[in-house]
Amino acid sequence: MTATIPSALATAQEFVDPELRKVLSRLDPDTRRVSEYHFGWINADGAPETRSGKALRPALVMLSAQGGGGDYGGALPAAAAVELVHNFSLLHDDLMDGDLSRRHRPTAWTVFGRSAALLAGDALLALSTDMLLEDPSPQAVDAARSLSTAISRLIAGQAADLDFEQRMDVTLDECRTMVAGKTGALLGCSASIGALFVGAPRQAVEQLDAFGRELGMAFQLVDDLLGLWGDPDVTGKPVLSDLRSRKKSFPVVHAMTSGTAAGFRLRELYAQPDPLDEGQLGEAAELVDKAGSREWTQNECERRLTSARRHLELADCGTATEGLTELADYILRRQR
Amino acid sequence: MTATIPSALATAQEFVDPELRKVLSRLDPDTRRVSEYHFGWINADGAPETRSGKALRPALVMLSAQGGGGDYGGALPAAAAVELVHNFSLLHDDLMDGDLSRRHRPTAWTVFGRSAALLAGDALLALSTDMLLEDPSPQAVDAARSLSTAISRLIAGQAADLDFEQRMDVTLDECRTMVAGKTGALLGCSASIGALFVGAPRQAVEQLDAFGRELGMAFQLVDDLLGLWGDPDVTGKPVLSDLRSRKKSFPVVHAMTSGTAAGFRLRELYAQPDPLDEGQLGEAAELVDKAGSREWTQNECERRLTSARRHLELADCGTATEGLTELADYILRRQR
């Protein structure tokens, strides 16, 4: 089932896209082309396309601004900056993982080459800081600080993820720390930077940050389920792609550390030097299920969302609460 | 001939290295290891080594602080931040160029893999902003702005450099613009951010920026000469490496656009699809010389240094002038 897309995502996109297009126009022509392709605004030949990404993080930023007592559009530079950072990380991730497709399109590095994609990522990262430091709003520097911290955590998470590839002894706790960096840091920042930008009280900013971080955990847990059992037509990724690349995702690590026979066999499959064939991939997915790890992941996801909702209540966001709740629900129900 | 290394470089290194080591200790263990290897502090196995890089940019920052009326160590976080950005760009450059050695050692990506080196670069870039935004000094945010602008220009310069690889019609003006970004922006920032950090008048900061940018041009012109005629034992790069990779360096572009027979033949060599053999590489170097482009590059370098010295005088840096002049001279006289 595909969940109804919350209107907040479309609205955020309408607000943030012109801002992003404006800031991307400052890039040199080559880097701009790679970035605009990556954002889904143009195809490989430069002809206009309909944007393919979802503006989840900008939507969080803008609802956060509203929830923090400001205007919905009151933290637009922060919304754009967060989206730039997100796309920096996607560009570099696709390079590192050697992924061939994203959002149902060939990844930027496969179209423009590794170097151009690497540089485009660098450029988006640099632009995100530029934007906030140039903004005259009194809280723009605080927002830049918050984003900068999130970026460092995000990179540390990516480094841990990379490290996991070489290791067979990853624990669930390490997995949590990695995801808190790789996914949680930027979602925490997205959910709080809007409120920060419009001058909300510190207490609200902190609760929104916690809300976003828990949401990030839930988001990753769903992603991990989709990476095993998602419909390729919907996810845009090949079937069982996470097992193919032997990713140490939550369900996999849970299964491997479950002490079950299924977990033990999964370890054996992950440890073999040759690529897994289609039969072994299917077996690996079944083993995760047998170890109880599919169910554990679903439950963990619900727990994280419950915790996220509690933080959201404490943030006291007034009318923005409904939109933020809707986004949280959407993240869980994307596909199952 | 190898020029005497100015004492300012050793002094700057003594100041900035502890600061860099401190800030690098915040990285996750894997990224830290790659970064410390890249800085030359440890070997591939993690054992301590003597640092191999020269602290040129930190020396500029610290003399700039002194010249701007502050203490020599008054802009230490800016000195470290600039050095982080420089090393971010080296890590990513080595990846993009596929360079196997730097500073007489295997490049980080050849030791730790492409993904680890890419991430280490990302991490150093993020840290540089973190450092300045966390600093309580009143001018730290202005310094962060200055650095952020320089980073974006640096990346645009790298993108132009990459673009040049695909093109045979690069002009000298395009070459100047590229180098102004790739080399000039960060050297301009290095020479001015110290003064900015200690609260020097705007006029002094601007003149120092211009001094650093001209120095950057001179630096690149010397580098381009070394890339053709430098001693591999001294440069740490293979002989004629710039011709091997068909780099559109100043002397090469000057020769190609010189309208001479030598320039025309050089174009032919650069346009051929197969790698250049040793004989062709030697011929290409001779053609650059014959076209008068070696001499032009030497003269252009002197012109840039004269301009740099003029800006330095106008910056009115008192006792720091001598140290800055010494650095500028050193850059020109490294090896010829």
Side-chain angles (χ1 to χ4, degrees), chain A residues 155-283:
Chain A
I155 293 168
Q158 288 174 313
D161 198 16
L162 198 66
D163 174 49
F164 287 3
E165 284 176 19
Q166 318 297 325
R167 288 175 46 200
M168 285 298 290
D169 60 347
V170 176
T171 66
L172 262 185
D173 263 356
E174 287 180 310
C175 211
R176 284 191 190 98
T177 305
M178 183 276 281
V179 171
K182 184 163 173 163
T183 312
L186 194 59
L187 281 174
C189 178
S190 302
S192 58
I193 200 172
L196 184 66
F197 200 88
V198 300
R202 190 184 165 142
Q203 157 80 359
V205 173
E206 283 173 0
Q207 292 296 342
L208 280 167
D209 182 49
F211 161 73
R213 282 186 280 114
E214 291 291 48
L215 204 61
M217 281 290 182
F219 187 96
Q220 188 58 55
L221 288 154
V222 174
D223 239 38
D224 285 355
L225 289 169
L226 293 174
L228 293 182
W229 294 285
D231 177 352
D233 288 344
V234 180
T235 63
K237 289 180 187 173
V239 67
L240 301 175
S241 59
D242 282 0
L243 292 174
R244 225 175 274 273
S245 61
R246 289 180 225 191
K247 201 181 151 188
K248 310 288 191 314
S249 67
F250 271 122
V252 167
V253 171
H254 183 270
M256 281 186 173
T257 57
S258 63
T260 61
F264 186 76
R265 171 70 187 136
L266 183 64
R267 270 183 183 278
E268 284 180 344
L269 284 175
Y270 259 55
Q272 78 164 41
D274 300 326
L276 301 177
D277 63 33
E278 297 302 314
Q280 290 171 320
L281 288 169
E283 186 193 350

Side-chain angles (χ1 to χ4, degrees), chain A residues 12-26:
Chain A
Q13 197 156 313
E14 276 170 36
F15 269 80
V16 84
D17 272 14
E19 188 79 6
L20 285 170
R21 282 175 189 270
K22 198 171 69 188
V23 73
L24 257 57
S25 75
R26 286 158 50 169

